[in-house]
Amino acid sequence: MATRTAYETGLEKFNRTNKFVNILFNLIFIILALICVIPVVVVLSISFSSEASIRETGYHLLPVALSGEAYTYIVKQGAMILRALGVSALVTVAGTVLGVFLTTSMGYVLSRPAYKLKGFLTWVVFIPMVFNGGLVSSYFINTNLLGLKDSIWSLILPLAVSSFNVIICKTFFKSTIPDGLIESAEIDGASQLRIFFSIILPISLPVIATIGLFLCFAYWNDWFQSMLYIDNQNLYSLQALLNSLMSNVDALAKNAASMGVSYAVLVATMPKESARMAVAILIVLPVAFAYPFFQKYFISGLTIGAVKG
Amino acid sequence: MSSKTEQQDKRKRLRNRWRKQDTELTLLALPTTIWYILFCFLPMFGIIIAFKNFRISGGFLSNVFNSPWVGFKNFEFLFKSNDAWIIIRNTIGYNIIFIVSGIVLPVLFAIMIGLLHSRKASKVYQTMMFLPYFLSWVVVSAVGWAFLSFDKGIVNQMLVSMGSDPVNWYMAPEYWPYLLVFLNIWKGLGYGMVIYLATITSLDSTYYEAAVIDGASIWQQTRFITLPMLKLVIVMMFILAVGRIFYTDFGLFYQVTRDSNSLFNVSTTIDVMVYKQLKTATVGMASAAAFVQSVLGCATILTANWIVRKIDPDSAMM
Amino acid sequence: MKKSFKFISTLCALTLVTTLAACGGSKSGSATDGSTTDGSTTDGSTKTTDTSKDTTTASKDIPTLVWWTIGGQVPNNFSKAIDAMNAYTAEKIGVKIDIKVASWGEWDTKINTIVNTGEPFDIMFTNSGKYSKQVAMGALADITDLVQSETPDLYKVIPEKVWEGTKIGGKYYSVPTYKDSALTQYWVYDDKYVQKYNIDINNIKTLQDLDKPLHAMKAEGKSFYPLPMTQGEGLNGFLNEYDDLTLGFPPVGVKADDASRTVVSVLEQPDVMANLKLLHQWYKDGIINPDAPTKTENDKGRAFFAAQAFPGAEVGWQINDAVQKYDMVQHYGPIYSTSTIQGSLNAISANSKYKKEALKYLELVNTDPKLRNMLAFGELGVDYKNVDGEKVIERTSDTWPLAAYTQGTFFNLAVTKGAPEDQWEQVKKLNDAATSSTVLGFALDISNLQTEVANCQAVWDKYKYELITGASDPEKMVPKITAELKSAGMDAIMKAAQEQINNYFK
């Protein structure tokens, strides 16, 4: 552990900001972190409040009267929520792996200055960034041509590549990989595929971690694909489930007039605000655990090692 | 085909010839290219819906091709709005602030967090700063209500306990420009920092070693090494962001503001307006709106890229 | 420049080639899984329920219809419950269904996508917000003749007036749900306050009459709001005296009892203006909650509210709100208008291969109490149990996602235990007593007014919450709103509406 810390900190150990600046920076970050955490605390607090206590005393940072009401709902809907959690996890992992491969390979190809089709492929990546065929025709292609309707692939494939990520990746490769490294490998007779898989990828862990993190978050946060392509609610992801719970209440309220008397009955069956917030907590929690996993790959110094070695 | 003798040839001659590397790189790019064709280019025929009076006559393809052409009729509603000026001002105004704050703050904090003495503390801060990103705007809207609700909100309870009058926040437009900017930064800061953090951590540390030997202070290193090395990424992020200047986050401007009438002047952007207008409209009009945003976005991004290329060709995206 | 042109042209060529390849591929692919290109069968697209597996093999004799409806979260026993229904209907009329549920908040996007992409379906729940648009697009089947020749029972069970409300261009494109189709508006008081403040609820006829009791109730406290509102609802039924011509756009309408059928600018009418002023006064006096224009969910247990209802409806509210007793007083209606009838419709796809079967199924829903109860309440023995044959049931779970009001008539539906047993008869009485809006059966065709409607809608959206909750001063705002609406093209809409009405009732 001690050696690793020394390695990680690298230069800082003999080249640091002074103590006062360090304390100041820490203070700033503590404030920032609090600003980011407090709303989550409020979500947690609502999830533990009883409906009556919110009605009578309003919202609080910490619940006034503790109530497990919301979590009984979660437990009661356990099967549904576990399944949604499973879908989210599967989609996130599979999508991230696939997406990282598709993104980094394209990013690398675009970063090679001498590649003949570079200009052409740049347009292939650029055009979709500004133009798209719209929801209706994408839906048609994905369901009719590709048969993705009601399949887990409809949650994975359409989000695997984003031009934004490809361009970030290309920029990363361009600015962090020394040309000499690839040239020397080419002179050694290594094929481009070999160079990419056994030289570039291993030294690009920070890039992979970044793209992986972006993809992972995008998949975890996505609800729109579920809403559009999944008819069988058993295949809903957690975020989609929450979105559906939240939007149902809203939709009922907005269409009260057209439902006539059924409205009151229907509203009564909707999960309470605390239950909805409990689901929101379920979404945030896994992420708090996932981030450190990616974080450990943001380590400096790997590039030098490879060049020197 | 290619052999070692060819590689020894002069580079100039090589430049125009298809080499083995090109084949290999094409192979490497193939899966992603296929993905782009399937998921991006095939659906693009949908753009023509914007110029049609869309009608159902069977399958989707026959619907699209048999629907009558109507020229630019679907676009009319976009340019007949009474509030066009307010909407364009809001969209571009907020986006300029978002672009600037979305670059300056993450760069600043990424550099700062890298300078912290304790690695552990920096990790904890980063993780915490990520949390807002996972609250969808619907949830943020609920949290916002918990803080700002008139009679139950945390803020008003605090105001009352301090003896001041409660504020009806959702009907007080003067606070919202700041609040919206704040929320946008709050939600995206942790995420935005990642790109810069990853770049900083993967910078070649020999530069810093050399700088230390020359006696450069940590501030000089930041100023003369870190920032210049980040330039490429910063410029790229800038160009990408500029391309989205006609798009706004619907959730932020519609859900978080609870569609409050009082906040119309400070919260209505192109996406919100189009959403409201399209409640009664046709798929053709929706396509028309998206098409206009695309064309404008394309124009701005190409202009930005062109300007960057004039100033510094290496930083340009294309 | 030249370079980029070359790239783009290569790109186009490449796209074309792949399109062709992909099309070819898909054709062979879909042939194997049995779906047809123009098909309205469920085959290829339903990999969801277990029933669909036997569908593909047995579909020749017993077709499975796809029914898109609206509802909540689908529970675990959903497919089991559907299987039970299918077993029953397969035997009875030789039709099975595959019910697909779009949840409340997602229905809008989902249904639009399905209709626009021509995805096969047979029956679809729709309502006034979408119906005329879907008809104009050509998505729904004209069932005028079919319903009378194939399913005379269905045609008979629903009164003429209600059928009238589904007409577009003189044709029926959907089967209306015969329920509380006539609108009856009630004022509901919490009995606790009625007793405490001695409110003579039976002599309160107008909003003006409410002024005194509401002010009296305000004595409860500074943060007690006798008339709590939300942004979406306002004072429920506030503009109901004007028929909105199914436009869903309140500023244009025809007064429901106006024999001359004159299209008016509703907000400028003196009666509406007077009521708006009253609301504004109440808002200022703290009778209406100050956050009404931005509040989305009602609190439970309101001192006073307006609602669309029928005798006996208060029982449900009392349980839900944990209020001892609500007193309901009818103050408007019952009245049929096109919009109230179009609150729930089930239409058949223009591309469906099974139009007759779909109608047969809807007929059974509307005439067979057993199927009706299964659809409305779920799996017998799990979600509900029969208390008195098919007449009274008791719900034993709260997870069944489908809403009774979206499916079929209320008048062969069981009464839930606890509600008055003559509940549906009461509703029927109201329907029978209902007058009709003078423009019943007329639905405005806006296909040539899309731009104007979109822009007027946007203007109305900008002011509606604050206007209907009393937050804005109508004396200042109504002229302003009207001026903006006029510049957005409201005159054109009104003119077209008047012309269409004159033609329709010629």
Side-chain angles (χ1 to χ4, degrees), chain B residues 42 54-56 60 77 80 82-83 150 152 168 170 258-259 261-262 264 273 277 279-282, chain C residues 19 115-117 133 136-137 231 290 294 296 299 450-451 453-455 461-466 484 487:
Chain B
L42 281 186
F54 191 76
R55 292 187 53 82
I56 309 285
F60 181 65
F77 80 105
K80 283 197 175 162
N82 295 326
D83 299 302
F150 179 74
K152 303 202 169 66
N168 202 343
Y170 286 95
R258 310 209 135 216
D259 190 21
N261 290 162
S262 302
F264 180 89
M273 196 60 178
Q277 287 173 316
K279 272 188 274 188
T280 56
T282 58
Chain C
T19 318
V115 170
N116 286 332
T117 53
K133 203 161 91 186
M137 276 173 77
Q231 57 168 209
T294 54
T296 49
D299 288 335
Q450 293 288 1
T451 305
V453 172
N455 285 330
D461 272 356
K462 196 162 121 186
Y463 299 108
K464 63 176 178 188
Y465 297 140
E466 296 195 354
E484 277 196 43
S487 86

Short mmCIF file of all heavy atoms in Angstrom, two decimals, chain B residues 42 54-56 60 77 80 82-83 150 152 168 170 258-259 261-262 264 273 277 279-282, chain C residues 19 115-117 133 136-137 231 290 294 296 299 450-451 453-455 461-466 484 487:
data_model
loop_
_atom_site.label_atom_id
_atom_site.label_comp_id
_atom_site.label_asym_id
_atom_site.label_seq_id
_atom_site.Cartn_x
_atom_site.Cartn_y
_atom_site.Cartn_z
N LEU B 42 -29.26 4.82 -41.54
CA LEU B 42 -30.50 4.26 -42.08
C LEU B 42 -31.73 5.07 -41.67
O LEU B 42 -32.58 5.35 -42.51
CB LEU B 42 -30.66 2.80 -41.65
CG LEU B 42 -29.84 1.77 -42.43
CD1 LEU B 42 -30.22 0.37 -42.00
CD2 LEU B 42 -30.07 1.93 -43.92
N PHE B 54 -47.93 13.83 -43.10
CA PHE B 54 -47.82 12.41 -42.81
C PHE B 54 -49.17 11.75 -42.62
O PHE B 54 -49.99 12.19 -41.83
CB PHE B 54 -46.98 12.24 -41.54
CG PHE B 54 -46.57 10.83 -41.28
CD1 PHE B 54 -45.56 10.25 -42.02
CD2 PHE B 54 -47.20 10.08 -40.30
CE1 PHE B 54 -45.18 8.95 -41.77
CE2 PHE B 54 -46.83 8.77 -40.06
CZ PHE B 54 -45.82 8.21 -40.80
N ARG B 55 -49.42 10.70 -43.39
CA ARG B 55 -50.67 9.96 -43.28
C ARG B 55 -50.41 8.46 -43.20
O ARG B 55 -49.41 7.98 -43.69
CB ARG B 55 -51.56 10.25 -44.49
CG ARG B 55 -52.07 11.68 -44.56
CD ARG B 55 -53.06 11.85 -45.69
NE ARG B 55 -54.13 10.85 -45.61
CZ ARG B 55 -55.20 10.96 -44.82
NH1 ARG B 55 -55.33 12.02 -44.06
NH2 ARG B 55 -56.11 10.03 -44.80
N ILE B 56 -51.34 7.74 -42.59
CA ILE B 56 -51.19 6.30 -42.45
C ILE B 56 -51.83 5.62 -43.65
O ILE B 56 -52.98 5.90 -43.99
CB ILE B 56 -51.90 5.78 -41.19
CG1 ILE B 56 -51.49 6.58 -39.96
CG2 ILE B 56 -51.66 4.29 -41.00
CD1 ILE B 56 -50.15 6.28 -39.44
N PHE B 60 -44.92 1.52 -42.40
CA PHE B 60 -44.30 2.82 -42.19
C PHE B 60 -43.68 3.38 -43.47
O PHE B 60 -43.84 4.55 -43.80
CB PHE B 60 -43.24 2.71 -41.10
CG PHE B 60 -42.56 4.01 -40.80
CD1 PHE B 60 -43.26 5.06 -40.25
CD2 PHE B 60 -41.22 4.17 -41.07
CE1 PHE B 60 -42.64 6.25 -39.97
CE2 PHE B 60 -40.58 5.37 -40.78
CZ PHE B 60 -41.30 6.41 -40.24
N PHE B 77 -45.13 27.01 -38.14
CA PHE B 77 -45.46 27.33 -36.75
C PHE B 77 -44.25 27.83 -35.97
O PHE B 77 -44.39 28.60 -35.04
CB PHE B 77 -46.08 26.10 -36.06
CG PHE B 77 -45.10 25.07 -35.59
CD1 PHE B 77 -44.80 24.97 -34.24
CD2 PHE B 77 -44.48 24.23 -36.48
CE1 PHE B 77 -43.91 24.02 -33.79
CE2 PHE B 77 -43.58 23.28 -36.03
CZ PHE B 77 -43.29 23.18 -34.69
N LYS B 80 -43.90 31.65 -36.39
CA LYS B 80 -45.04 32.53 -36.16
C LYS B 80 -45.28 32.75 -34.68
O LYS B 80 -46.30 33.26 -34.28
CB LYS B 80 -46.28 31.92 -36.80
CG LYS B 80 -46.29 32.10 -38.30
CD LYS B 80 -47.67 31.88 -38.86
CE LYS B 80 -47.71 32.18 -40.35
NZ LYS B 80 -48.89 31.58 -40.96
N ASN B 82 -45.29 34.32 -31.04
CA ASN B 82 -45.24 35.68 -30.53
C ASN B 82 -43.98 35.94 -29.72
O ASN B 82 -43.55 37.07 -29.56
CB ASN B 82 -46.43 35.94 -29.61
CG ASN B 82 -47.73 35.87 -30.36
OD1 ASN B 82 -47.78 36.25 -31.52
ND2 ASN B 82 -48.77 35.38 -29.71
N ASP B 83 -43.46 34.87 -29.14
CA ASP B 83 -42.39 35.05 -28.17
C ASP B 83 -41.05 34.60 -28.70
O ASP B 83 -40.15 34.27 -27.93
CB ASP B 83 -42.74 34.28 -26.89
CG ASP B 83 -44.02 34.78 -26.28
OD1 ASP B 83 -44.07 35.97 -25.96
OD2 ASP B 83 -44.97 33.98 -26.14
N PHE B 150 -43.99 26.49 -1.19
CA PHE B 150 -44.35 27.69 -0.43
C PHE B 150 -44.60 27.41 1.05
O PHE B 150 -44.02 28.05 1.91
CB PHE B 150 -45.58 28.34 -1.05
CG PHE B 150 -46.02 29.57 -0.32
CD1 PHE B 150 -45.29 30.75 -0.44
CD2 PHE B 150 -47.13 29.56 0.50
CE1 PHE B 150 -45.68 31.89 0.24
CE2 PHE B 150 -47.52 30.70 1.19
CZ PHE B 150 -46.79 31.86 1.05
N LYS B 152 -44.48 24.16 2.60
CA LYS B 152 -43.83 23.00 3.20
C LYS B 152 -42.33 22.98 2.98
O LYS B 152 -41.63 22.14 3.52
CB LYS B 152 -44.45 21.72 2.63
CG LYS B 152 -45.95 21.64 2.84
CD LYS B 152 -46.44 20.22 2.78
CE LYS B 152 -47.87 20.14 3.25
NZ LYS B 152 -48.81 20.84 2.36
N ASN B 168 -42.75 32.96 -2.41
CA ASN B 168 -43.35 31.99 -3.33
C ASN B 168 -42.39 31.79 -4.50
O ASN B 168 -42.51 32.41 -5.55
CB ASN B 168 -44.71 32.50 -3.80
CG ASN B 168 -45.59 31.37 -4.28
OD1 ASN B 168 -45.10 30.27 -4.55
ND2 ASN B 168 -46.87 31.62 -4.40
N TYR B 170 -41.65 29.66 -6.80
CA TYR B 170 -41.96 29.26 -8.17
C TYR B 170 -42.69 30.37 -8.93
O TYR B 170 -42.98 30.24 -10.11
CB TYR B 170 -42.81 27.99 -8.18
CG TYR B 170 -41.98 26.77 -7.84
CD1 TYR B 170 -41.92 26.29 -6.54
CD2 TYR B 170 -41.24 26.14 -8.83
CE1 TYR B 170 -41.14 25.19 -6.23
CE2 TYR B 170 -40.46 25.04 -8.53
CZ TYR B 170 -40.43 24.57 -7.23
OH TYR B 170 -39.65 23.48 -6.93
N ARG B 258 -41.49 23.38 -12.93
CA ARG B 258 -42.88 22.98 -12.79
C ARG B 258 -43.77 23.70 -13.79
O ARG B 258 -44.92 23.99 -13.51
CB ARG B 258 -43.39 23.26 -11.37
CG ARG B 258 -42.46 22.70 -10.34
CD ARG B 258 -43.20 22.35 -9.10
NE ARG B 258 -42.74 21.03 -8.68
CZ ARG B 258 -43.52 20.12 -8.12
NH1 ARG B 258 -44.77 20.35 -7.93
NH2 ARG B 258 -43.03 18.96 -7.77
N ASP B 259 -43.21 24.06 -14.93
CA ASP B 259 -43.99 24.70 -15.98
C ASP B 259 -44.72 25.92 -15.44
O ASP B 259 -45.83 26.23 -15.84
CB ASP B 259 -44.98 23.67 -16.56
CG ASP B 259 -45.65 24.16 -17.82
OD1 ASP B 259 -45.08 25.08 -18.45
OD2 ASP B 259 -46.72 23.65 -18.17
N ASN B 261 -46.17 29.42 -14.90
CA ASN B 261 -46.47 30.51 -15.81
C ASN B 261 -45.63 31.75 -15.52
O ASN B 261 -45.16 32.42 -16.43
CB ASN B 261 -47.95 30.89 -15.71
CG ASN B 261 -48.85 29.81 -16.28
OD1 ASN B 261 -50.02 29.76 -16.02
ND2 ASN B 261 -48.29 28.91 -17.09
N SER B 262 -45.41 32.03 -14.24
CA SER B 262 -44.66 33.23 -13.88
C SER B 262 -43.22 33.17 -14.39
O SER B 262 -42.59 34.20 -14.57
CB SER B 262 -44.59 33.39 -12.37
OG SER B 262 -45.85 33.44 -11.82
N PHE B 264 -42.24 31.98 -17.20
CA PHE B 264 -42.19 31.83 -18.66
C PHE B 264 -41.01 32.59 -19.27
O PHE B 264 -40.23 32.04 -20.03
CB PHE B 264 -43.50 32.32 -19.29
CG PHE B 264 -43.52 32.21 -20.78
CD1 PHE B 264 -43.96 31.04 -21.38
CD2 PHE B 264 -43.06 33.24 -21.59
CE1 PHE B 264 -43.96 30.91 -22.76
CE2 PHE B 264 -43.06 33.11 -22.97
CZ PHE B 264 -43.51 31.95 -23.55
N MET B 273 -40.74 25.19 -25.80
CA MET B 273 -41.76 25.79 -26.65
C MET B 273 -42.28 24.76 -27.66
O MET B 273 -43.49 24.60 -27.84
CB MET B 273 -41.15 26.98 -27.39
CG MET B 273 -42.19 27.87 -27.98
SD MET B 273 -43.23 28.50 -26.65
CE MET B 273 -44.32 29.54 -27.56
N GLN B 277 -46.08 23.45 -28.14
CA GLN B 277 -46.81 23.66 -29.38
C GLN B 277 -47.23 22.34 -30.02
O GLN B 277 -48.23 22.26 -30.70
CB GLN B 277 -45.96 24.44 -30.38
CG GLN B 277 -45.82 25.91 -30.00
CD GLN B 277 -44.85 26.61 -30.90
OE1 GLN B 277 -43.78 26.10 -31.20
NE2 GLN B 277 -45.21 27.79 -31.37
N LYS B 279 -48.26 19.61 -28.70
CA LYS B 279 -49.24 18.75 -28.05
C LYS B 279 -50.40 18.42 -28.99
O LYS B 279 -50.98 17.36 -28.93
CB LYS B 279 -49.74 19.42 -26.77
CG LYS B 279 -48.85 19.06 -25.59
CD LYS B 279 -49.42 19.55 -24.29
CE LYS B 279 -48.98 20.97 -24.06
NZ LYS B 279 -49.34 21.47 -22.74
N THR B 280 -50.70 19.36 -29.86
CA THR B 280 -51.81 19.10 -30.78
C THR B 280 -51.31 18.81 -32.19
O THR B 280 -52.10 18.63 -33.09
CB THR B 280 -52.72 20.33 -30.88
OG1 THR B 280 -51.92 21.43 -31.26
CG2 THR B 280 -53.40 20.61 -29.56
N ALA B 281 -50.01 18.81 -32.38
CA ALA B 281 -49.50 18.85 -33.74
C ALA B 281 -49.19 17.47 -34.31
O ALA B 281 -49.40 16.45 -33.68
CB ALA B 281 -48.27 19.73 -33.81
N THR B 282 -48.65 17.48 -35.51
CA THR B 282 -48.42 16.25 -36.24
C THR B 282 -46.95 15.85 -36.17
O THR B 282 -46.09 16.64 -35.78
CB THR B 282 -48.76 16.45 -37.71
OG1 THR B 282 -47.96 17.53 -38.19
CG2 THR B 282 -50.21 16.77 -37.88
N THR C 19 -28.53 -0.54 -46.90
CA THR C 19 -29.98 -0.58 -46.76
C THR C 19 -30.54 -1.78 -47.50
O THR C 19 -31.34 -2.54 -46.97
CB THR C 19 -30.63 0.68 -47.37
OG1 THR C 19 -29.87 1.80 -47.01
CG2 THR C 19 -32.05 0.84 -46.90
N VAL C 115 -48.65 4.39 -33.62
CA VAL C 115 -49.53 4.79 -34.72
C VAL C 115 -48.70 5.30 -35.90
O VAL C 115 -48.90 4.91 -37.04
CB VAL C 115 -50.54 5.85 -34.25
CG1 VAL C 115 -51.29 6.44 -35.43
CG2 VAL C 115 -51.53 5.23 -33.28
N ASN C 116 -47.74 6.16 -35.60
CA ASN C 116 -46.95 6.76 -36.68
C ASN C 116 -46.11 5.76 -37.45
O ASN C 116 -45.89 5.90 -38.64
CB ASN C 116 -46.03 7.86 -36.13
CG ASN C 116 -46.80 9.10 -35.77
OD1 ASN C 116 -47.85 9.37 -36.34
ND2 ASN C 116 -46.33 9.84 -34.79
N THR C 117 -45.59 4.74 -36.75
CA THR C 117 -44.73 3.80 -37.45
C THR C 117 -45.53 2.66 -38.05
O THR C 117 -44.96 1.75 -38.64
CB THR C 117 -43.67 3.19 -36.52
OG1 THR C 117 -44.33 2.65 -35.38
CG2 THR C 117 -42.67 4.22 -36.08
N LYS C 133 -57.24 13.40 -34.34
CA LYS C 133 -55.97 13.44 -35.06
C LYS C 133 -55.68 12.08 -35.70
O LYS C 133 -55.24 12.00 -36.85
CB LYS C 133 -54.87 13.79 -34.06
CG LYS C 133 -53.65 14.40 -34.68
CD LYS C 133 -52.84 15.14 -33.64
CE LYS C 133 -51.80 14.25 -33.01
NZ LYS C 133 -51.10 14.88 -31.90
N ALA C 136 -57.88 11.64 -38.63
CA ALA C 136 -57.42 12.45 -39.75
C ALA C 136 -56.22 11.83 -40.44
O ALA C 136 -56.04 11.94 -41.66
CB ALA C 136 -57.08 13.86 -39.26
N MET C 137 -55.38 11.16 -39.67
CA MET C 137 -54.19 10.52 -40.25
C MET C 137 -54.54 9.25 -41.01
O MET C 137 -53.72 8.70 -41.73
CB MET C 137 -53.21 10.15 -39.15
CG MET C 137 -52.30 11.27 -38.73
SD MET C 137 -51.36 10.74 -37.30
CE MET C 137 -50.15 9.71 -38.09
N GLN C 231 -52.24 22.88 -10.20
CA GLN C 231 -52.12 23.59 -11.47
C GLN C 231 -52.92 22.93 -12.59
O GLN C 231 -53.49 23.60 -13.44
CB GLN C 231 -50.65 23.74 -11.90
CG GLN C 231 -49.92 22.43 -12.02
CD GLN C 231 -48.56 22.56 -12.71
OE1 GLN C 231 -48.11 21.63 -13.33
NE2 GLN C 231 -47.87 23.69 -12.60
N PRO C 290 -51.52 29.61 -2.01
CA PRO C 290 -50.70 30.49 -2.86
C PRO C 290 -49.87 29.73 -3.89
O PRO C 290 -49.48 30.30 -4.90
CB PRO C 290 -49.78 31.21 -1.87
CG PRO C 290 -50.13 30.72 -0.53
CD PRO C 290 -51.21 29.72 -0.60
N THR C 294 -48.43 26.09 -9.21
CA THR C 294 -47.28 25.23 -9.45
C THR C 294 -47.40 23.89 -8.73
O THR C 294 -46.52 23.04 -8.86
CB THR C 294 -45.97 25.90 -9.00
OG1 THR C 294 -46.10 26.32 -7.64
CG2 THR C 294 -45.66 27.10 -9.86
N THR C 296 -48.62 20.18 -8.13
CA THR C 296 -49.09 19.15 -9.06
C THR C 296 -49.93 18.07 -8.39
O THR C 296 -50.74 17.43 -9.05
CB THR C 296 -47.91 18.47 -9.78
OG1 THR C 296 -46.97 18.09 -8.80
CG2 THR C 296 -47.27 19.41 -10.77
N ASP C 299 -53.21 17.48 -1.88
CA ASP C 299 -53.09 16.89 -0.54
C ASP C 299 -54.35 16.09 -0.27
O ASP C 299 -55.39 16.33 -0.87
CB ASP C 299 -52.96 18.00 0.51
CG ASP C 299 -51.61 18.66 0.45
OD1 ASP C 299 -50.66 18.00 -0.01
OD2 ASP C 299 -51.50 19.83 0.86
N GLN C 450 -53.19 23.66 -38.31
CA GLN C 450 -52.15 23.16 -37.40
C GLN C 450 -51.30 24.29 -36.82
O GLN C 450 -51.05 24.32 -35.62
CB GLN C 450 -51.24 22.17 -38.13
CG GLN C 450 -51.90 20.89 -38.53
CD GLN C 450 -52.20 19.98 -37.35
OE1 GLN C 450 -51.92 20.32 -36.21
NE2 GLN C 450 -52.77 18.83 -37.62
N THR C 451 -50.85 25.19 -37.68
CA THR C 451 -49.96 26.25 -37.20
C THR C 451 -50.65 27.12 -36.17
O THR C 451 -50.11 27.41 -35.11
CB THR C 451 -49.51 27.11 -38.40
OG1 THR C 451 -48.93 26.24 -39.35
CG2 THR C 451 -48.51 28.15 -37.96
N VAL C 453 -53.33 26.46 -34.32
CA VAL C 453 -53.64 25.74 -33.08
C VAL C 453 -52.38 25.59 -32.23
O VAL C 453 -52.40 25.82 -31.02
CB VAL C 453 -54.27 24.37 -33.37
CG1 VAL C 453 -54.40 23.56 -32.11
CG2 VAL C 453 -55.63 24.56 -34.02
N ALA C 454 -51.27 25.22 -32.86
CA ALA C 454 -50.02 25.04 -32.11
C ALA C 454 -49.64 26.34 -31.41
O ALA C 454 -49.27 26.34 -30.24
CB ALA C 454 -48.90 24.58 -33.03
N ASN C 455 -49.73 27.44 -32.12
CA ASN C 455 -49.32 28.71 -31.51
C ASN C 455 -50.30 29.20 -30.45
O ASN C 455 -49.88 29.75 -29.44
CB ASN C 455 -49.10 29.77 -32.60
CG ASN C 455 -47.81 29.51 -33.35
OD1 ASN C 455 -46.86 28.97 -32.80
ND2 ASN C 455 -47.78 29.86 -34.62
N ASP C 461 -50.95 28.02 -22.78
CA ASP C 461 -50.09 27.36 -21.80
C ASP C 461 -49.33 28.35 -20.94
O ASP C 461 -49.00 28.09 -19.80
CB ASP C 461 -49.06 26.47 -22.52
CG ASP C 461 -49.62 25.09 -22.77
OD1 ASP C 461 -50.73 24.83 -22.31
OD2 ASP C 461 -48.93 24.28 -23.42
N LYS C 462 -49.05 29.48 -21.55
CA LYS C 462 -48.24 30.48 -20.88
C LYS C 462 -49.01 31.12 -19.72
O LYS C 462 -48.42 31.63 -18.79
CB LYS C 462 -47.91 31.53 -21.93
CG LYS C 462 -46.82 32.47 -21.62
CD LYS C 462 -46.39 33.10 -22.94
CE LYS C 462 -46.54 34.59 -22.91
NZ LYS C 462 -46.24 35.18 -24.22
N TYR C 463 -50.33 31.12 -19.79
CA TYR C 463 -51.12 31.84 -18.78
C TYR C 463 -52.10 30.97 -18.00
O TYR C 463 -52.63 31.39 -17.00
CB TYR C 463 -51.92 32.96 -19.46
CG TYR C 463 -51.06 33.98 -20.14
CD1 TYR C 463 -50.99 34.04 -21.52
CD2 TYR C 463 -50.30 34.87 -19.38
CE1 TYR C 463 -50.18 34.98 -22.15
CE2 TYR C 463 -49.49 35.81 -20.00
CZ TYR C 463 -49.44 35.86 -21.39
OH TYR C 463 -48.64 36.77 -22.00
N LYS C 464 -52.35 29.75 -18.49
CA LYS C 464 -53.52 29.03 -17.98
C LYS C 464 -53.46 28.72 -16.49
O LYS C 464 -54.45 28.92 -15.79
CB LYS C 464 -53.73 27.74 -18.78
CG LYS C 464 -52.60 26.74 -18.66
CD LYS C 464 -52.95 25.45 -19.39
CE LYS C 464 -51.79 24.50 -19.30
NZ LYS C 464 -51.96 23.32 -20.13
N TYR C 465 -52.32 28.25 -15.99
CA TYR C 465 -52.29 27.84 -14.59
C TYR C 465 -52.64 28.99 -13.67
O TYR C 465 -53.39 28.85 -12.71
CB TYR C 465 -50.92 27.29 -14.20
CG TYR C 465 -50.50 26.05 -14.93
CD1 TYR C 465 -49.19 25.88 -15.36
CD2 TYR C 465 -51.41 25.02 -15.18
CE1 TYR C 465 -48.79 24.73 -16.02
CE2 TYR C 465 -51.02 23.88 -15.84
CZ TYR C 465 -49.70 23.74 -16.26
OH TYR C 465 -49.31 22.61 -16.91
N GLU C 466 -52.07 30.15 -13.95
CA GLU C 466 -52.29 31.27 -13.05
C GLU C 466 -53.69 31.82 -13.20
O GLU C 466 -54.26 32.35 -12.25
CB GLU C 466 -51.22 32.34 -13.28
CG GLU C 466 -49.86 31.77 -12.92
CD GLU C 466 -48.77 32.79 -12.76
OE1 GLU C 466 -49.02 33.98 -13.05
OE2 GLU C 466 -47.67 32.39 -12.37
N GLU C 484 -52.98 38.34 -27.39
CA GLU C 484 -51.92 37.44 -27.87
C GLU C 484 -52.50 36.28 -28.67
O GLU C 484 -51.92 35.85 -29.66
CB GLU C 484 -51.11 36.90 -26.68
CG GLU C 484 -50.03 37.85 -26.24
CD GLU C 484 -49.00 37.18 -25.35
OE1 GLU C 484 -48.59 36.05 -25.66
OE2 GLU C 484 -48.63 37.78 -24.32
N SER C 487 -53.32 37.41 -32.11
CA SER C 487 -52.18 37.53 -33.02
C SER C 487 -51.60 36.15 -33.34
O SER C 487 -50.89 35.98 -34.32
CB SER C 487 -51.11 38.46 -32.42
OG SER C 487 -50.26 37.74 -31.57
#
